[in-house]
Amino acid sequence: TTTDSTSKVSCHQLIWGKDSSQKFLQHIAHNQKYHVLLASDIIYSAVIVQPLWETVHTLLEKEGGVFIMAYARRKKVPVSIDLVLETAVEWGFGYELVKEDLEDGIWVYEFRFR
């Protein structure tokens, strides 16, 4: 329990991409970047990988911010985790695999600005 009235959790729809995430930052977040971004089972097509990282880059706090993403292996999804990780590095992020479930095909990564 916290007595700090400025601490709160909220959830909003977010359309990925640079322009929409900048609008989101201005109108929803009041120009305050996020310390934590959380996503799960979101990779279904290669065309969304760049907009994903544009969004994370725009919204995540550079000092101490963390993006936690769970990646699920899907038989009919032609996007590898390698593409997601390579693109993260291109956008200036380092990453760490923090949980791996080979039986269910789920990997959880933490991404931070380098």
Side-chain angles (χ1 to χ4, degrees):
T1 304
T2 180
T3 57
D4 181 0
S5 63
T6 62
S7 295
K8 65 181 178 176
V9 174
S10 63
C11 184
H12 302 274
Q13 179 186 24
L14 175 59
I15 307 300
W16 295 353
K18 184 177 180 181
D19 292 340
S20 1
S21 59
Q22 286 176 336
K23 288 177 187 173
F24 184 93
L25 183 62
Q26 292 171 346
H27 300 294
I28 302 295
H30 308 289
N31 292 314
Q32 182 148 4
K33 295 199 175 200
Y34 291 87
H35 298 287
V36 177
L37 296 173
L38 181 64
S40 177
D41 198 14
I42 57 171
I43 306 297
Y44 290 93
S45 171
V47 299
I48 60 90
V49 175
Q50 281 293 334
L52 167 66
W53 291 110
E54 289 173 1
T55 301
V56 174
H57 190 269
T58 299
L59 296 179
L60 190 64
E61 184 71 44
K62 292 208 184 326
E63 292 297 321
V66 61
F67 172 49
I68 302 166
M69 183 189 77
Y71 175 86
R73 179 182 59 226
R74 301 280 179 226
K75 290 180 182 176
K76 295 184 180 184
V77 175
V79 183
S80 72
I81 189 61
D82 293 334
L83 174 63
V84 177
L85 299 176
E86 289 167 9
T87 307
V89 170
E90 290 170 10
W91 277 92
F93 292 94
Y95 61 86
E96 178 184 355
L97 176 64
V98 294
K99 183 164 175 65
E100 181 177 39
D101 183 335
L102 295 175
E103 186 176 322
D104 290 331
I106 298 171
W107 295 264
V108 179
Y109 290 87
E110 287 185 359
F111 297 89
R112 299 174 194 277
F113 281 103
R114 288 183 282 156

